[in-house]
Amino acid sequence: MNIVVLSGGVGGSRFIRGLLAATTPDDQVTVVANTADDIWLFGLRVCPDLDTVMYTLGAGIDTERGWGRTDETWNAKAELGAYDVPEAWFGLGDRDLATHLVRTEMLRSGAGLAAATERLCARWAPGTDLERIRLLPMTEDEVETWISTTVDDAPAEIHFQEFWIRHHAGVPVHAVTQRGIESSSPAPGVLQAIADADVIVLPPSNPIVSVGPILDVPGIRDALRSSDAPVVGVSPVIGGGAVRGMADQLLAGLGIENSAAAVGLRHGVLDGWLLDTADAHHVAQLEAGGVTARAVPLWMSDDATTRQLAVDTLALAAELCRG
Amino acid sequence: MNIVVLSGGVGGSRFIRGLLAATTPDDQVTVVANTADDIWLFGLRVCPDLDTVMYTLGAGIDTERGWGRTDETWNAKAELGAYDVPEAWFGLGDRDLATHLVRTEMLRSGAGLAAATERLCARWAPGTDLERIRLLPMTEDEVETWISTTVDDAPAEIHFQEFWIRHHAGVPVHAVTQRGIESSSPAPGVLQAIADADVIVLPPSNPIVSVGPILDVPGIRDALRSSDAPVVGVSPVIGGGAVRGMADQLLAGLGIENSAAAVGLRHGVLDGWLLDTADAHHVAQLEAGGVTARAVPLWMSDDATTRQLAVDTLALAAELCRG
């Protein structure tokens, strides 16, 4: 079975681990990761979602934090602060820095982000879950998410990372723009993977800054719609609130209803959608919108529940294939 | 008094500390540092001599090693090794990395190396010896020292840093080339500092890869010759061997006599030269070559002997002014 996952960082990575536990090595899993929250920092190209997927599946992640490297130290960051560098609020760990150095050097030498990602993964894959997936960036073009906000009573345009890491999503959201997305194109391999897919999965990732941008890369939404494979997703919203991250603030700022149904319907590409049992009352609304919905436990509390969520996702896909 | 020092890294920095102890804040000390052993590593511009001077005078140096930062960690380096990066032999510490990130970002944004150096020094200067000097790169153009050698029985051209850090100067030296030096020009401020100097000092730095390149930047040697200020130097060779570093191997490879006299005469710009008391028998040879020579203790074993060496250097300069 060919499975394509359109993934953000933390939630997506966790879901993919469950998916690998629920499938066999004969199943081909391609992960198309969001790159719209990438950022240039200190001259380095930082790709948070690609790296979170790579570190999580490659057993290099700090499992407590859910991002960044195990056994991390922060001495370069402290020194950047001492040099009074404006972006020193972004926490690049010393081990993590090496990843960005290798990637940036490749990009500057003319390689694409897909090749750079492959090179980085080659280090982590052997003997880990990463060996079982192919990790692709959604695009090799630079797309960046910017937030229109108000900082110190003045209107401001800030990079999504500044909104999230520096301001902890504590400033208002007037608008969200994915700069560069209109002129971007899918990275090599993405459209082919979608065309070859038996199942396409949207894991429980942020709808505005993770899954949304992937769908908005010109060509990807059309490829999903023209694919024979069912597109099934898992709601990142449970009981009217995002499981983690800053989706609540983004949805509120954009005036989007913070519900499992509204978020699912908004994607516009779903054949099936899993809601949490707490949101079972939203099933009818989704089905009225043409999306087959099932209410199952969504909390990925441990390996067993995470695996079961993947099993439920594949079961919904199978049901849609038969239907 | 305006003092200009043409300096390499470790020996030069130590001498400058003595010079500051031997002078008063009314004396203006300009340090023109060698940049010919600079290197691009992992996309970062690394300037070993500039940084050694900055860290040493700015109280950031690891005094045991004589280079790099205090309380340094090496996690990024270990990770670069794990990514199998070819240049992982070069030991960039985590704290040190911040310096290269700030500098490289400035250079990529169009700033010159002089401005980048000034920016970096602004962090270290307050309250330290660095506050008393102006640190200039010899040039803002990229000059790199390459060694023609033999590695694994095959001819090879390697960057000086690879020769020194990776091979520990353990491969033969057939030739030394400062790539780019013919088309380089002195950095802003260098010629003016020389023109305004009352004393010009060559500290005990490597004659081939530190002091030599500074003199070879087109315009600098002429400026020294046309200056009214005496040019006085301190031999880096004592008793027929370099005090530290790899000058012995370089001199041998180039067929240059490894003596305090030969090294001094070769510079071609000296009015005065200090030899160690162990080399007093070379005084006559130097004076026959038109260089006033004095034999004094050259070992900079502690603060007192280092300060005394600076006192002796300034005394020789004063003698030449009166002469």
Side-chain angles (χ1 to χ4, degrees), chain A residues 42-44 54 69 73 75-76 79-80 82-83 85 94-95 98-99 101-102 105 108 119-120 123-124, chain B residues 42-44 54 69 73 75-76 79-80 82-85 94-95 98-99 101-102 105 108 119-120 123-124:
Chain A
F42 327 117
L44 301 177
M54 179 175 78
R69 292 291 319 283
T73 56
N75 289 322
E79 294 295 317
L80 289 166
Y83 277 121
V85 168
D94 300 326
R95 292 188 187 279
T99 298
L101 285 166
V102 173
E105 180 74 332
R108 287 200 198 281
R119 157 97 170 76
L120 293 169
R123 175 241 169 131
W124 294 100
Chain B
F42 327 118
L44 302 177
M54 179 174 77
R69 293 291 318 282
T73 56
N75 290 322
E79 293 296 316
L80 288 166
Y83 277 121
D84 213 11
V85 168
D94 299 326
R95 293 187 187 280
T99 298
L101 285 166
V102 173
E105 180 73 333
R108 288 200 198 279
R119 157 96 171 80
L120 292 168
R123 175 241 168 131
W124 294 100

Side-chain angles (χ1 to χ4, degrees), chain B residues 108-131:
Chain B
R108 288 200 198 279
S109 303
L113 185 56
T117 302
E118 191 177 353
R119 157 96 171 80
L120 292 168
C121 286
R123 175 241 168 131
W124 294 100
T128 70
D129 278 349
L130 193 61
E131 206 168 25

Side-chain angles (χ1 to χ4, degrees), chain B residues 204-247:
Chain B
S205 294
N206 188 302
I208 305 299
V209 294
S210 295
V211 175
I214 302 176
L215 299 177
D216 287 343
V217 173
I220 289 189
R221 198 181 295 269
D222 286 346
L224 295 174
R225 285 181 176 143
S226 62
S227 165
D228 291 335
V231 179
V232 294
V234 177
S235 174
V237 174
I238 296 180
V243 172
R244 57 174 291 162
M246 78 319 292

Side-chain angles (χ1 to χ4, degrees), chain A residues 37 45 80 114-115 125 134 137 189 214-215 219 226 229 266 289-290 309 316-317:
Chain A
D37 58 356
R45 190 65 179 168
L80 289 166
R134 187 166 59 128
I214 303 175
L215 299 177
S226 63
R266 191 169 174 277
L309 179 57
L316 176 57

Side-chain angles (χ1 to χ4, degrees), chain B residues 149-169:
Chain B
T149 182
T150 304
V151 178
D152 298 334
D153 294 327
E157 299 282 321
I158 58 176
H159 190 286
F160 167 72
Q161 296 297 347
E162 187 169 356
F163 167 76
W164 175 223
I165 307 293
R166 183 181 196 181
H167 295 291
H168 310 292

